[in-house]
Amino acid sequence: MPRSIHLCILTALAACTPPNETSAPASSTLEAAIAGHWREPANVARDIWRHPAQTLSFFEIYPDQTVIEIIPGGGWYTEILAPLLRDNGHYVAAVIDPDSAVNPSSQYYYDRQLKTLKIKLARLPRIYGRPEIRRFDEGHPRFGSPGSADRVLTFRNVHNWRENGTAESMFRGCFDVLKPGGILGVVEHRANPDAANGGNAGYTTQNQVIAWAEQAGFELEAASEINANPADSKDHESGVWNLSPSFSLGAKNRAKYAAIGESDRMTLRFRKPVIDQAER
């Protein structure tokens, strides 16, 4: 089981006092969702590295859209997207079906991940509304009816797809579920451009991600440095997991890794082309 998924699950399952569900957000604006009292403090503390307002604006997210988040992990972005889309849109969390796992270890972690997300969403129904959790087969990903989503988003997952040999099928699944003109937003740990085999240790080269997306049929519309971190040397002992928030080495060199911050990340916006019927 990739360590990144494992750590997301452990973080989500950490003891935390649930926020009081006093009322739904006053408005469905992005700013109101990010400022929501229901967000876990540990998640809010990471805004300085994950830049949710800038990132979701770059992906052109609006409250009346159908947005599918691929493998939301512990639900960091779920806390923002579900309330934002609650009244006029639809939030879909696409999770790996534990029954499709290739081994018992993966099945266990996928099952825990699914249960964690269900608990989060059920805890505050007035805040999150009626979001949907869709299971998909890891080997044959299908995220919904073709052409049914306005946006598909995935955060720090592509390196797992590369390691599992599913990157091509995952990008194709993203392409199929989007409406023509829809956007795929990708944030991923960025390897140095000359990294062998497209990256390793949790990092993937930007060119490799673009190649997979274009092979699926997407067009790269824009790349942003919103989530860049030039202090990340990408040569850590245990890879990207040495950095915050994982600190996989525990106390060893913790001050050094804390000073670096979170990983250097690419932020890419792809669009599914609109095909003129007359050209068919």
Side-chain angles (χ1 to χ4, degrees):
M1 178 65 192
R3 280 175 289 181
S4 54
I5 294 179
H6 185 185
L7 290 165
C8 282
I9 296 168
L10 293 179
T11 299
L13 290 173
C16 176
T17 301
N20 292 324
E21 188 182 11
T22 55
S23 62
S27 69
S28 58
T29 65
L30 179 57
E31 293 78 10
I34 293 171
H37 63 83
W38 56 88
R39 295 186 64 207
E40 295 182 11
N43 290 341
V44 174
R46 297 182 64 197
D47 285 359
I48 189 174
W49 298 109
R50 301 197 69 173
H51 310 101
Q54 300 95 317
T55 300
L56 295 178
S57 295
F58 179 70
F59 292 151
E60 300 180 7
I61 302 297
Y62 300 105
D64 61 349
Q65 295 172 332
T66 294
V67 178
I68 301 177
E69 184 182 1
I70 309 296
I71 312 178
W76 197 95
Y77 264 105
T78 304
E79 292 182 357
I80 298 171
L81 288 167
L84 174 69
L85 301 166
R86 185 198 62 215
D87 294 333
N88 300 303
H90 186 44
Y91 173 75
V92 178
V95 303
I96 299 173
D97 188 339
D99 292 338
S100 74
V102 296
N103 56 62
S105 177
S106 294
Q107 183 178 38
Y108 170 80
Y109 287 115
Y110 296 156
D111 185 62
R112 292 293 294 272
Q113 187 177 44
L114 176 59
K115 289 178 179 177
T116 297
L117 190 62
K118 285 183 174 180
I119 290 170
K120 176 186 286 289
L121 294 175
R123 191 173 58 180
L124 299 173
R126 291 184 61 193
I127 297 296
Y128 294 127
R130 300 177 64 86
E132 181 181 354
I133 296 178
R134 291 180 188 167
R135 304 185 188 195
F136 67 89
D137 186 324
E138 184 175 19
H140 305 281
R142 183 177 183 273
F143 305 124
S145 300
S148 61
D150 298 291
R151 301 289 184 267
V152 173
L153 308 178
T154 191
F155 301 94
R156 299 158 40 245
N157 287 308
V158 178
H159 61 282
N160 290 323
W161 306 349
R162 186 194 68 242
E163 294 168 6
N164 295 338
T166 60
E168 292 182 4
S169 60
M170 291 294 288
F171 276 99
R172 185 66 200 182
C174 294
F175 185 88
D176 290 343
V177 78
L178 275 169
K179 299 174 181 177
I183 286 174
L184 167 65
V186 177
V187 177
E188 174 57 30
H189 308 297
R190 178 166 50 191
N192 291 325
D194 59 352
N197 301 316
N200 55 43
Y203 295 93
T204 306
T205 64
Q206 187 160 315
N207 285 340
Q208 178 67 87
V209 174
I210 293 171
W212 278 320
E214 290 181 340
Q215 182 181 1
F218 286 105
E219 296 176 350
L220 177 65
E221 187 169 78
S224 173
E225 294 300 295
I226 296 167
N227 296 300
N229 180 5
D232 180 10
S233 61
K234 311 170 189 179
D235 58 356
H236 317 299
E237 179 180 343
S238 298
V240 72
W241 301 282
N242 284 176
L243 301 177
S244 174
S246 301
F247 293 118
S248 61
L249 296 180
K252 182 179 178 181
N253 294 325
R254 189 180 182 94
K256 167 190 171 182
Y257 293 121
I260 293 171
E262 297 197 14
S263 66
D264 176 52
R265 295 164 187 163
M266 67 186 86
T267 305
L268 306 175
R269 187 174 76 227
F270 299 96
R271 195 174 292 274
K272 181 174 181 175
V274 177
I275 300 175
D276 191 325
Q277 295 295 323
E279 295 179 357
R280 293 189 173 183

